[in-house]
Amino acid sequence: MKLPIYMDYHATTPTDPRVFEAMKPYFMEIFGNSASRNHSFGWQAEEAVEKARKQIADLIGASPKEIVFTSGATESNNLALKGVAEMYAEKGNHIITAATEHKAVLDTCKRLEKHGIRVTYLPVQTNGLVDLEMLKDAITDKTILISIMYANNEIGVIQNMAEIGKIAKAKGVLVHSDATQAVGKVPVNVIKDNIDLMSLSGHKLYGPKGVGALYVRRKSPRVQITAQMDGGGHERGMRSGTLNVPGIVGLGEACAICQAEMAEESKRMAYLRDKLRNKLEAELDEVYINGTMDSRLPNNLNISFSYVEGESLLMGINDVAVSSGSACTSATLEPSYVLKALGAGDDQAHSSIRFGLGRFNTEEQVDYVAAKVIDVVKKLRELSPLYEMAKEGIDLTKVQWTAH
Amino acid sequence: MAYSNKVLDHYNNPRNVGSMDKSDPNVGTGMVGAPECGDVMKLQVKVNPETGVIEDAKFKTFGCGSAIASSSLATEWLRGKTVDEALEIKNTDIVNELSLPPVKIHCSVLAEDAIKAAINDYKTKSATKVEALASK
Ligand SMILES: Cc1ncc(COP(=O)(O)O)c(C=O)c1O
């Protein structure tokens, strides 16, 4: 077995070789600008872009004209939130989102707040789900947008988008969903799920980095957004800039593969994920799953190993690429705000590991990773004063710690 | 993050892991940090009451690799030192020895605090022992 093993598919995915093959001709042979209307170089590029647009639309139940190409989900989220806030400024100035959103949504909201938009950050329940009653109560006659992610990038919890959409529709409020982690992994359908705007990204579904899309609904209701990038008026005026043709071809092909293989692939992911979970739980006491298992991406396992600090665990499994919610592994030196939002306590966040399984993981790799994690957790618990105290029956929450 | 070879060595082969009897009058125990902050160190010293020399030192640490290495190194340095010499160990000595990057300096500070806490615990204990003897 080749080492190191990659098991961090929520961070990014390798490009599928079939996707790479599809992209290749669009660098040197079919290199035209898809906006060149007067020669075959342009026409060929345009044809490829339109094919990809349809492949993406098909995967999410949209029509091709509703797809706007961007540089990725960060840009899509920015465009959706800022574009709606600007376009619907006369209608209202209130946006509702959730505490567990990706920074590309939260920080966009923070900026909008500086420009007179009011933002409600809904807390989530301990299972990671938004409380729908709380959502209803948060809507005012000034609310223009509800932005709730489809699936969370740390805990994989899938929100009830269809219900959220229903609530919003009843009040005439638009819904945006950051579906970056969900598209291609679980069935996403913008009609059934009542979504008006939706962000997705190439590199999370075995496509290339630096390309993504924003779905913008054209019918019932017809959604309009104010462009945030000025220029040649590409993408029906919503996003100027010469299209990244090879990237778009890759994104389209990646979507087509996901659509064809999702049923099989998601079953395989769930099997591997559950095997990993069962092995860890069989060999180790006091491990806790973060977020509900009942509504979750099939490839996600976020688990806390009590009394063991996440970064030290990563250090012990250094031939396995996973990530941790521990403060020591974050740039801000704060433990994961997503896990904190579940109310689990900072100590549980410090002890968490996120496993993100993917297309190229094998059962043999899962067995290796499970054995390695079990071994290192046991070793670190031997080293842990907290484990020793817990075994002596001391209630760690009652200890007077010297916080520093 | 890249770890220095010395941090890796202490992480892979931690020195003097374990616990000593807290109620032993010759053992001083220091516990610093908090689980919510992501690191807790327990450091213990066993002192020869005749000579004031630290004969044994043990640690257990919940924390990142640098925290584990800092406390492991501290136990190595403590053994054979007198109580007063031990109090002279500075966090910067640990930073230099382990080549800790700036974001890990707090680990060395915690180790220094743990040393001080353990020595103080021992001193408090032996002072009460002396008092108890005097009042007999
Ligand atoms: C939920 C979610 N939203 C947005 C992003 C940002 O996507 P991109 O890297 O395409 O900008 C990510 C990836 O980090 C994500 O997981």
Side-chain angles (χ1 to χ4, degrees):
Chain A
M1 193 173 34
K2 221 178 105 210
L3 295 173
I5 293 167
Y6 189 75
M7 219 172 256
D8 199 16
Y9 279 80
H10 298 299
T12 193
T13 63
T15 302
D16 189 296
R18 294 167 286 180
V19 169
F20 182 55
E21 282 307 316
M23 290 170 68
K24 268 185 185 167
Y26 293 92
F27 288 95
M28 285 153 72
E29 294 151 45
I30 314 170
F31 61 85
N33 184 330
S34 57
S36 297
R37 288 284 147 76
N38 42 10
H39 50 65
S40 64
F41 294 86
W43 300 332
Q44 277 182 306
E46 191 190 11
E47 194 184 317
V49 166
E50 293 316 311
K51 180 183 167 197
R53 209 185 286 282
K54 179 158 188 334
Q55 288 169 315
I56 297 156
D58 284 349
L59 178 62
I60 61 170
S63 94
K65 284 195 173 137
E66 297 175 314
I67 304 299
V68 175
F69 287 112
T70 65
S71 63
T74 298
E75 187 190 337
S76 297
N77 288 339
N78 270 265
L79 178 55
L81 271 67
K82 291 173 183 169
V84 165
E86 204 174 328
M87 179 60 74
Y88 295 87
E90 280 186 10
K91 183 166 176 275
N93 66 343
H94 180 224
I95 292 177
I96 300 171
T97 186
T100 50
E101 293 292 313
H102 191 270
K103 286 285 180 195
V105 166
L106 292 178
D107 286 359
T108 301
C109 286
K110 291 263 144 58
R111 181 176 300 264
L112 287 170
E113 281 182 298
K114 291 199 185 114
H115 298 284
I117 302 287
R118 225 168 51 72
V119 181
T120 301
Y121 301 91
L122 293 174
V124 295
Q125 307 170 83
T126 51
N127 59 11
L129 291 168
V130 168
D131 181 334
L132 298 183
E133 287 308 313
M134 206 178 259
L135 171 66
K136 266 184 215 162
D137 292 343
I139 300 174
T140 72
D141 53 4
K142 290 281 177 217
T143 309
I144 50 174
L145 183 69
I146 295 172
S147 180
I148 302 286
M149 71 203 310
Y150 207 110
N152 185 271
N153 47 298
E154 289 190 31
I155 53 178
V157 167
I158 298 174
Q159 299 292 342
N160 190 343
M161 290 315 303
E163 277 304 313
I164 290 170
K166 228 184 256 170
I167 291 166
K169 241 188 182 83
K171 303 267 187 164
V173 176
L174 296 176
V175 174
H176 165 253
S177 186
D178 176 354
T180 307
Q181 296 289 343
V183 171
K185 316 288 165 57
V186 290
V188 170
N189 184 296
V190 290
I191 306 294
K192 282 194 204 137
D193 294 331
N194 296 316
I195 293 169
D196 300 306
L197 300 115
M198 190 170 84
S199 304
L200 58 96
S201 180
H203 73 104
K204 306 284 184 177
L205 40 79
Y206 310 97
K209 294 170 180 58
V211 62
L214 179 66
Y215 157 79
V216 185
R217 186 185 279 268
R218 271 166 60 96
K219 273 207 306 260
S220 60
R222 178 182 175 82
V223 178
Q224 287 179 291
I225 53 174
T226 305
Q228 301 299 308
M229 186 89 82
D230 297 311
H234 306 74
E235 297 299 274
R236 296 184 314 292
M238 284 183 266
R239 203 277 195 179
S240 287
T242 297
L243 294 184
N244 168 8
V245 178
I248 287 167
V249 167
L251 173 59
E253 186 63 22
C255 286
I257 294 171
C258 284
Q259 187 165 14
E261 299 180 358
M262 186 188 301
E264 277 298 309
E265 184 160 60
S266 65
K267 255 189 254 159
R268 200 176 74 88
M269 288 301 109
Y271 169 77
L272 292 180
R273 189 266 314 272
D274 293 341
K275 182 165 194 198
L276 179 61
R277 176 194 176 183
N278 292 339
K279 283 196 163 207
L280 296 174
E281 287 184 337
E283 285 290 324
L284 299 168
D285 59 344
E286 302 218 45
V287 298
Y288 301 98
I289 308 273
N290 296 305
T292 181
M293 288 302 290
D294 299 336
S295 176
R296 196 183 191 102
L297 293 173
N299 63 327
N300 174 279
L301 186 64
N302 190 308
I303 189 164
S304 288
F305 302 92
S306 297
Y307 321 120
V308 170
E309 196 276 328
E311 190 195 291
S312 66
L313 178 49
L314 293 190
M315 212 172 150
I317 54 170
N318 60 358
D319 50 8
V320 181
V322 293
S323 71
S324 167
S326 146
C328 290
T329 63
S330 79
T332 56
L333 290 180
E334 278 293 316
S336 155
Y337 66 88
V338 172
L339 297 183
K340 282 169 77 167
L342 305 183
D346 283 11
D347 44 343
Q348 195 160 328
H350 284 296
S351 298
S352 72
I353 298 287
R354 175 186 73 176
F355 298 93
L357 289 149
R359 186 170 288 168
F360 304 106
N361 285 135
T362 63
E363 190 157 359
E364 189 190 11
Q365 288 178 332
V366 167
D367 292 340
Y368 177 88
V369 170
K372 187 103 189 189
V373 170
I374 290 163
D375 185 51
V376 175
V377 168
K378 283 184 173 166
K379 185 183 139 210
L380 289 172
R381 281 181 172 173
E382 283 305 305
L383 221 68
S384 169
L386 304 180
Y387 190 64
E388 180 181 72
M389 291 165 84
K391 289 288 137 190
E392 284 168 7
I394 297 169
D395 180 351
L396 296 180
T397 61
K398 302 252 156 61
V399 176
Q400 275 271 295
W401 301 103
T402 55
H404 50 288
Chain B
M1 194 184 310
Y3 302 95
S4 71
N5 287 336
K6 284 193 177 146
V7 169
L8 285 173
D9 180 39
H10 279 280
Y11 174 84
N12 290 321
N13 311 292
R15 327 287 200 267
N16 310 312
V17 178
S19 298
M20 293 186 279
D21 181 5
K22 258 197 298 227
S23 58
D24 181 336
N26 295 330
V27 170
T29 303
M31 173 112 78
V32 295
E36 317 67 270
C37 303
D39 28 38
V40 175
M41 280 180 195
K42 186 181 86 166
L43 203 108
Q44 292 183 300
V45 290
K46 184 173 197 165
V47 183
N48 181 329
E50 308 292 312
T51 59
V53 169
I54 297 168
E55 295 186 328
D56 198 3
K58 297 253 184 251
F59 86 97
K60 282 203 175 190
T61 289
F62 161 84
C64 64
S66 303
I68 291 170
S70 296
S71 37
S72 170
L73 175 67
T75 61
E76 269 192 325
W77 281 356
L78 285 170
R79 288 172 151 216
K81 279 201 169 56
T82 66
V83 165
D84 291 328
E85 285 167 351
L87 288 174
E88 277 165 24
I89 297 174
K90 292 275 166 296
N91 83 290
T92 44
D93 304 334
I94 296 171
V95 170
N96 292 337
E97 175 67 16
L98 296 175
S99 314
L100 296 181
V103 296
K104 295 297 183 188
I105 288 176
H106 74 275
C107 298
S108 69
V109 173
L110 207 58
E112 185 187 319
D113 291 349
I115 294 171
K116 296 217 154 72
I119 302 284
N120 284 336
D121 181 53
Y122 167 74
K123 285 191 165 174
T124 317
K125 269 179 168 175
S126 50
T128 48
K129 201 170 60 182
V130 170
E131 270 170 35
L133 284 175
S135 67
K136 259 187 195 163

